[in-house]
Amino acid sequence: MNDLLVLGDEALALGAIDAGLSVAYGYPGTPSTEIIEYLQKYSQEHDPDLIARWCANEKTSYEGAVGVSYAGKRALVTMKHVGLNVAADAFVNSALLEINGGLVAAVCDDPGMHSSQNEQDSRFYADFAGIICLEPKNHQEAYDMTREAFAISEKFKIPVLVKLVTRLSHSRAVIKRAEPLKKTDNGKASDRLGWMALPSLSRKNWQSLLEQQKYFKEYSEKSSFNSLILHKDFREYGVITTGLGGNYFRENISDLDYVPSQLHIGVYPVPEEKIKKLASAVKKIIVIEEGYPFVERMITSILSISLPVHGKLDGTVPPSGELTPDNVRPALGLAKRASQKFSDETLPGRPPQLCQGCPHTDTFTALNNAVAHLSEHIVTSDIGCYALGALPPLSAIETLLCMGASVGMARGASEAGRKNVVATIGDSTFLHSGITGLIDAASTNTDMTLIIMDNSTTAMTGMQDTIVSSPRIKEIVLACGVSPDHLKEIKVLPKNDKENTEIIKQEISYHGLSVIIALRECIHIIGKKK
Amino acid sequence: MNKKNTYDIILSGVGGQGVLTVAAVISRAAIKEGFTIRQSEVHGMSQRGGAVVAHMRLSRSEIVSDLIPKGNADFILSMEPLESLRYVEYLKPDGKLITASKPYMNIPDYPEIQEILDKIQALPHSTVIDAEHLAKEAGSSRAVNMVLVGALAKELPLQDESLKAAVEDLFSRKGERVVEINLNAIVQGKNAG
């Protein structure tokens, strides 16, 4: 059919569309954002019946998708890897439900932390929940596996996790689409006993999930995405690859004197029989896997024979960062390729920074001025463009943990007895999970100042609309229990710096909870509207 | 124009300079010429004024890795001199570096520009192009990235018609004048160096 040049994220989105997707929910997060963006564009241009929406956070997204499944239709939920931490309650428990309409979670990991605070590996979550995980190594597999994920979700009545990584999410290649399926409707789930996580029912459903494991293993064992290529004339070592590790291994094959036997794993639970077969044909195993040493840690318990296993655990393969065609070479006994060099390789770095004219710069400038003469102060911050306020010359923030943490951490620091505690958070992150922290702080009128840096968009991930427009954020703050006397709005512009500094100073000096909404649109959405 | 089967190209610059647009034009044209392509991009945090790099691979056969191995790139095409040097170890021993001459100074410790240009000229094969001047000649200083497309395109087996079609695909919604300026800029780039 069509040949299309697409990002890995878009290949996954197309796979979902062609599997008869009805509804997709997600929260923006690099590198997963382009999945929903593609679906929204597709819906506008080709299929108004396809629903694709941004939600408040990953948990509400996931719960929405579970509701679609209960109602009988196919649902996709998208997020970055750390977003699955937020959605984990819904995700893990949904494995115990009797999934009706196909439910697929597309989770994009970020090894190398290009745009994230950690490089956690989502395969552990799938294993933890006891479900099937599919891990494409290229665009065509992202498309094919997503289609298949919906089918096996309905076959086994479980959610299925499709794991991408940044390098695939944000790389472009041509894929071939297969015949699209029409949207399916299984009707509302027929048996409510499969949909209530009551202890008495969950005990049965957990037992049934455990019994199903052998069928998941059987499926994995038979899957052509788990491919074993044996070269019986070369026994010195064999290779197990996962994810993009498989590509980097193949990229180097032409430099090897002998091509070793290779098992590539793209479907989990791990294909134990195939691992045993590989092990019986070689003297040692080298594991090249993108992410944590997930397979590597399992091998010894799978094998009945003792065989040396080398990989990330013993440093044969770099244990942190993303794999590359270069850093897997030592594991294969290969030297660096010849390349060019220049004499002096010390170049100054060029880290990302706040854009020229960014409203956050003005907010941080006013905040820095306001706290400059205080004997002590704490400024917590959060996930978004404003995290770049950590860098000189602003150096305005002290902490960064996870979405929404600025608010809770400020409360804790204040209750621990520290003075002049300020939390800084963006509008989208506040809506994501700052609100609950604010309710906590309001319940005790904690002495702290929350600055909501409202630029009317989700900027870091590429200007997705926030789900609540700016004027209504004020109403939400008041509804959380903040005193109207200590809710201030400031317009952040360089010319207002003096006035804004004064307002921030005043609210910091107030012994109770204050909220300051620092308003100005992101310069990029002003450009977009023109 | 030579007849190799595979071209590995590193595209570099600073977030916001239009590296991805360069990649989009080249890859569209290459697909029209029957190449398989792979184009690894940077989205997210680095796009905020940080160093960005895209790996672009064109091949007549299957491409397995999204990333170009070090020592494998035929070309580095850079929007900016300092950024061009950041990826020199990706170049093949006989690979070529092509860069625009104008520095993008958004960091306090940007080295003396002459030092940077000297290092570039000390490489076995390099071309430094006054892309800003040529873009103005073409009709707009904003067409710097298309001048660079031209400078690279003349090294690749890409027909003018394919480049033209790629530019039209990408820019026709912005109007005829933009298409014309971009096509002029590609010609300027081809004639430079």
Side-chain angles (χ1 to χ4, degrees):
Chain A
M1 257 181 84
N2 301 332
D3 285 358
L4 285 166
L5 176 65
V6 289
L7 291 171
D9 277 352
E10 296 172 342
L12 187 148
L14 271 166
I17 290 166
D18 290 351
L21 178 72
S22 288
V23 184
Y25 294 125
Y27 185 80
T30 311
S32 69
T33 312
E34 291 82 355
I35 303 171
I36 295 281
E37 286 189 329
Y38 189 84
L39 292 170
Q40 287 180 333
K41 194 162 165 258
Y42 189 92
S43 169
Q44 275 169 17
E45 291 173 3
H46 305 289
D47 180 8
D49 294 336
L50 174 66
I51 293 173
R53 297 195 204 290
W54 295 122
C55 300
N57 64 38
E58 294 84 356
K59 181 170 183 283
T60 65
S61 304
Y62 197 95
E63 290 155 348
V66 176
V68 174
S69 170
Y70 182 67
K73 301 199 175 170
R74 291 191 162 183
L76 178 71
V77 54
T78 75
M79 62 200 72
K80 67 184 296 171
H81 58 336
V82 288
L84 189 52
N85 297 334
V86 178
D89 199 0
F91 169 72
V92 174
N93 289 310
S94 70
L96 296 179
L97 302 181
E98 207 164 289
I99 291 304
N100 181 26
L103 173 60
V104 174
V107 184
C108 302
D109 291 5
D110 190 16
M113 300 180 240
H114 295 274
S115 243
S116 305
Q117 67 272 50
N118 77 24
E119 51 183 29
Q120 67 184 56
D121 185 331
S122 300
R123 294 177 298 172
F124 283 88
Y125 261 119
D127 183 57
F128 185 49
I131 60 160
I132 293 173
C133 173
L134 305 179
E135 186 182 21
K137 65 177 179 293
N138 58 37
H139 302 68
Q140 191 62 47
E141 283 192 0
Y143 175 83
D144 293 338
M145 282 183 170
T146 304
R147 286 189 66 139
E148 181 155 320
F150 280 99
I152 57 176
S153 169
E154 290 186 5
K155 181 181 173 195
F156 294 121
K157 298 187 174 298
I158 52 164
V160 172
L161 193 152
V162 179
K163 173 196 152 162
L164 296 187
V165 292
T166 304
R167 221 32 104 168
L168 179 52
S169 284
H170 291 166
S171 150
R172 283 179 207 274
V174 172
I175 60 161
K176 279 198 191 316
R177 285 174 82 176
E179 190 62 42
L181 304 177
K182 289 210 165 58
K183 290 188 185 62
T184 52
D185 185 352
N186 298 346
K188 190 184 104 172
S190 53
D191 184 3
R192 68 194 180 109
L193 297 185
W195 281 85
M196 291 184 286
L198 290 165
S200 60
L201 298 173
S202 286
R203 277 179 218 120
K204 283 181 205 149
N205 293 337
W206 173 232
Q207 194 54 41
S208 127
L209 184 66
L210 290 174
E211 281 161 17
Q212 268 191 302
Q213 296 299 317
K214 62 175 178 289
Y215 302 110
F216 302 167
K217 283 181 183 161
E218 196 177 274
Y219 162 74
S220 164
E221 214 64 68
K222 284 184 184 157
S223 173
S224 59
F225 294 121
N226 291 336
S227 64
L228 175 64
I229 305 165
L230 290 176
H231 296 287
K232 294 202 167 144
D233 46 343
F234 180 72
R235 296 180 59 88
E236 291 309 305
Y237 69 95
V239 175
I240 294 178
T241 58
T242 74
L244 303 196
N247 302 342
Y248 303 139
F249 168 68
R250 284 187 58 201
E251 185 73 30
N252 286 304
I253 275 187
S254 58
D255 290 353
L256 294 172
D257 295 333
Y258 300 94
V259 178
S261 297
Q262 182 204 2
L263 170 61
H264 181 79
I265 299 176
V267 175
Y268 306 85
V270 294
E272 297 186 3
E273 293 309 315
K274 282 179 177 167
I275 291 175
K276 286 178 191 164
K277 246 186 221 169
L278 175 75
S280 67
V282 298
K283 292 184 194 162
K284 65 177 181 183
I285 293 178
I286 294 168
V287 190
I288 301 175
E289 59 186 319
E290 186 82 284
Y292 289 1
F294 176 76
V295 174
E296 188 182 342
R297 283 167 46 168
M298 289 182 179
I299 295 177
T300 322
S301 68
I302 291 169
L303 298 181
S304 50
I305 48 168
S306 164
L307 203 67
V309 177
H310 303 288
K312 294 196 166 189
L313 292 174
D314 68 358
T316 301
V317 175
S320 67
E322 63 177 345
L323 297 180
T324 69
D326 308 306
N327 68 13
V328 302
R329 286 174 72 87
L332 300 168
L334 295 171
K336 275 175 132 180
R337 289 171 197 249
S339 73
Q340 287 188 31
K341 286 196 170 44
F342 58 96
S343 51
D344 169 20
E345 297 199 17
T346 52
L347 293 175
R350 192 173 328 236
Q353 49 190 274
L354 291 169
C355 305
Q356 288 288 321
C358 175
H360 297 328
T361 305
D362 298 335
T363 306
F364 283 135
T365 304
L367 174 59
N368 280 346
N369 292 340
V371 298
H373 303 294
L374 296 172
S375 59
E376 66 164 316
H377 70 272
I378 287 175
V379 178
T380 65
S381 196
D382 230 298
I383 311 288
C385 284
Y386 44 93
L388 297 171
L391 305 172
L394 288 166
S395 307
I397 63 169
E398 296 168 57
T399 73
L400 196 78
L401 175 64
C402 63
M403 293 288 285
S406 61
V407 190
M409 284 183 68
R411 186 196 190 208
S414 172
E415 298 216 310
R418 295 293 162 217
K419 292 190 178 63
N420 306 318
V421 181
V422 181
T424 57
I425 191 170
D427 49 335
S428 188
T429 306
F430 174 68
L431 296 168
H432 177 285
S433 50
I435 296 174
T436 40
L438 183 60
I439 292 171
D440 284 342
S443 73
T444 46
N445 194 29
T446 303
D447 181 12
M448 59 177 268
T449 304
L450 170 63
I451 301 180
I452 301 173
M453 307 169 83
D454 181 0
N455 61 358
S456 309
T457 189
T458 315
M460 179 61 94
T461 47
M463 275 58 75
Q464 292 75 33
D465 289 337
T466 43
I467 56 166
V468 172
S469 60
S470 285
R472 287 192 46 218
I473 289 183
K474 197 173 161 183
E475 296 169 28
I476 291 173
V477 169
L478 291 172
C480 287
V482 174
S483 158
D485 297 339
H486 293 283
L487 169 58
K488 300 282 156 70
E489 282 181 305
I490 58 175
K491 178 85 178 171
V492 278
L493 285 167
K495 63 172 183 176
N496 298 345
D497 186 46
K498 232 179 175 175
E499 186 190 337
N500 292 343
T501 301
E502 272 318 301
I503 293 170
I504 296 172
K505 260 189 192 167
Q506 265 170 30
E507 292 310 322
I508 291 175
S509 68
Y510 166 64
H511 292 301
L513 176 62
S514 303
V515 175
I516 298 169
I517 303 180
L519 287 162
R520 182 152 69 84
E521 280 184 327
C522 171
I523 56 166
H524 295 291
I525 54 171
I526 297 169
K528 259 191 176 177
K529 282 180 185 166
K530 269 180 192 167
Chain B
M1 236 179 259
N2 60 42
K3 294 221 173 76
K4 276 164 32 96
N5 279 325
T6 300
Y7 294 87
D8 282 347
I9 303 149
I10 297 278
L11 303 170
S12 62
V14 180
Q17 278 194 308
V19 169
L20 294 185
T21 313
V22 172
V25 173
I26 298 283
S27 61
R28 271 164 201 258
I31 287 172
K32 289 177 203 294
E33 303 279 342
F35 278 101
T36 298
I37 78 131
R38 202 57 81 85
Q39 182 187 315
S40 179
E41 306 175 353
V42 172
H43 297 197
M45 195 179 244
S46 304
Q47 284 180 296
R48 301 276 168 271
V52 294
V53 60
H55 290 221
M56 190 155 83
R57 315 191 77 182
L58 319 179
S59 178
R60 299 281 181 199
S61 54
E62 190 197 2
I63 301 167
V64 288
S65 166
D66 300 276
L67 293 176
I68 296 169
K70 287 177 181 165
N72 231 55
D74 300 281
F75 301 100
I76 289 172
L77 182 71
S78 184
M79 312 292 295
E80 200 280 338
L82 172 63
E83 294 310 316
S84 77
L85 282 177
R86 217 179 281 289
Y87 309 98
V88 164
E89 42 168 1
Y90 282 90
L91 272 184
K92 275 182 184 162
D94 62 346
K96 181 174 182 180
L97 185 154
I98 305 168
T99 183
S101 57
K102 193 181 173 194
Y104 188 99
M105 298 205 195
N106 67 341
I107 46 171
D109 49 351
Y110 198 103
E112 280 299 316
I113 181 63
Q114 198 51 49
E115 259 176 52
I116 294 290
L117 293 175
D118 289 346
K119 282 178 187 168
I120 291 169
Q121 269 135 17
L123 294 170
H125 307 280
S126 67
T127 307
V128 178
I129 295 171
D130 188 349
E132 194 177 65
H133 171 72
L134 295 175
K136 280 180 190 155
E137 295 276 299
S140 165
S141 59
R142 295 177 64 182
V144 166
N145 51 7
M146 290 304 117
V147 173
L148 289 167
V149 166
L152 176 65
K154 80 170 173 196
E155 310 273 358
L156 301 173
L158 299 178
Q159 305 293 324
D160 288 345
E161 303 85 75
S162 305
L163 285 166
K164 183 162 180 271
V167 168
E168 281 168 353
D169 282 356
L170 285 166
F171 296 104
S172 58
R173 65 186 172 85
K174 293 188 175 176
E176 266 177 45
R177 179 72 185 137
V178 174
V179 171
E180 192 190 319
I181 290 170
N182 282 326
L183 290 173
N184 287 344
I186 290 177
V187 174
Q188 291 283 353
K190 279 195 162 187
N191 295 337

